[in-house]
Amino acid sequence: MHTVVLTKGVPDFREGQVSFDEDGHLERGKTPTVMNPNDKHALRAAFQTKVRNGGHVSLMSMGPPGYKEVLQEGMADVYADDLYLLSDREMGAADTWATAMTVATGLQHLDEEPDLVFAGFKTADGETGHTGPQTAWCLDWPTITHVISLDIDEEARQVRAKRLVDGDVSEIETVEAPMPCFVVADPEFEPTYRKASHRLKHKDLREQTQERAENYEEHVTVWDHQDLNLDPDYIGLDGSPTIVAGVDPIPKAPSEREATHVTADDDAGMEQVLDELTPFVAGD
């Protein structure tokens, strides 16, 4: 089994990490980049497949050289055997379609065709959810979206998955698809390890990948557009049909907040805090 997980670097939107300019626009150069949170659900689904069915897990991203650290984050936090970065200036400023074209070519460039490709539900910045399904379309592979659990029948070359219907947590259906196949993991996805042997293997593999992540650059393969034999006219900004009509400024967080400092030995102050919080605890 060879599984590939697609990921993207996004701004770290945690409070205190995001930098805005005077017009309220996000300053990406001054805001740390992290692995897209939803992609970790996809990586956990791939890791479950590794534990249960064996094989190899690759993590792939398209972006600037700094995305190596995003790949390292995925390797250390969840699991990956090796890492692939598609990167050069010709790929820059791509929309989801140009990204999908590039990533599909990267997948075809691997030594071994993947059995499964996992993608996250959507990114924290663009939130389109397009790249995974568009990449599958480029390869003419089936896609299962909103997946919350899955099982692999290697002999039959089939994926059996439970998915949310239209993303509705109250309605679940079971579907099957032949491999190779794309799987878009829903945030509701929860990996399961029913056997004791699976749980032991999970522990061993986690220890191995954390050690590997310390020297992650030894496990990164970087391909530019020439390596992938891609025409610059069809990738990056030139290959992107999307036209952005406008951008709404991101609201700036308040620079100061009113706060009351209360120490543990301030009986009157603690009583006031308790009186203010009690209605919320009671649900009023």
Side-chain angles (χ1 to χ4, degrees), residues 32-272:
T33 299
V34 297
M35 182 179 179
N36 178 51
N38 278 327
D39 296 341
K40 292 188 178 183
H41 300 294
L43 194 50
R44 292 186 184 102
F47 189 28
Q48 174 188 281
T49 303
K50 164 89 173 185
V51 172
R52 290 190 190 177
N53 303 92
H56 193 85
V57 177
S58 300
L59 185 57
M60 179 179 287
S61 185
M62 188 193 87
Y67 272 30
K68 287 182 181 179
E69 295 179 2
V70 173
L71 293 171
Q72 180 196 26
E73 180 184 349
M75 174 179 273
D77 286 0
V78 187
Y79 185 90
D81 290 297
D82 53 22
L83 311 170
Y84 290 87
L85 178 62
L86 316 181
S87 180
D88 69 10
R89 291 186 179 275
E90 299 293 346
M91 300 175 187
D95 66 2
T96 59
W97 176 244
T99 300
M101 292 280 287
T102 305
V103 172
T105 306
L107 293 171
Q108 292 175 316
H109 203 69
L110 294 170
D111 292 336
E112 178 186 0
E113 180 182 73
D115 299 288
L116 289 169
V117 176
F118 291 88
F121 174 55
K122 59 183 179 181
T123 58
D125 50 2
E127 293 199 347
T128 65
H130 290 171
T131 303
Q134 285 178 331
T135 305
W137 187 89
C138 290
L139 297 171
D140 196 25
W141 289 5
T143 307
I144 308 176
T145 62
H146 293 291
V147 172
I148 59 172
S149 70
L150 78 158
D151 292 288
I152 311 298
D153 187 334
E154 292 184 77
E155 186 174 343
R157 299 279 296 164
Q158 288 279 333
V159 179
R160 182 180 178 87
K162 290 184 179 180
R163 65 178 299 274
L164 304 180
V165 179
D166 293 329
D168 184 354
V169 296
S170 65
E171 187 174 356
I172 298 173
E173 66 177 358
T174 301
V175 297
E176 293 184 350
M179 296 191 290
C181 174
F182 261 73
V183 173
V184 178
D186 193 89
E188 295 293 323
F189 182 90
E190 288 292 340
T192 56
Y193 301 100
R194 306 182 186 94
K195 299 180 181 179
S197 60
H198 290 165
R199 293 189 286 274
L200 290 172
K201 187 175 181 180
H202 179 282
K203 179 178 179 295
D204 290 342
L205 291 175
R206 286 282 292 123
E207 291 175 353
Q208 292 172 20
T209 195
Q210 287 169 354
E211 292 177 3
R212 191 181 305 124
E214 293 179 3
N215 301 303
Y216 72 98
E217 290 198 0
E218 297 177 5
H219 306 282
V220 180
T221 298
V222 181
W223 288 328
D224 60 22
H225 79 282
Q226 293 179 326
D227 294 323
L228 300 177
N229 195 29
L230 284 167
D231 187 333
D233 289 339
Y234 294 94
I235 61 173
L237 180 61
D238 289 344
S240 299
T242 304
I243 299 175
V244 179
V247 178
D248 292 329
I250 300 175
K252 297 180 69 173
S255 57
E256 295 181 358
R257 294 181 178 179
E258 294 183 1
T260 300
H261 296 275
V262 180
T263 60
D265 57 357
D266 182 358
D267 293 338
M270 293 297 290
E271 184 175 352
Q272 180 182 354

Side-chain angles (χ1 to χ4, degrees), residues 19-31:
S19 179
F20 301 95
D21 63 18
E22 59 184 11
D23 296 320
H25 297 144
L26 175 68
E27 293 185 300
R28 287 183 179 264
K30 296 181 180 179
T31 301

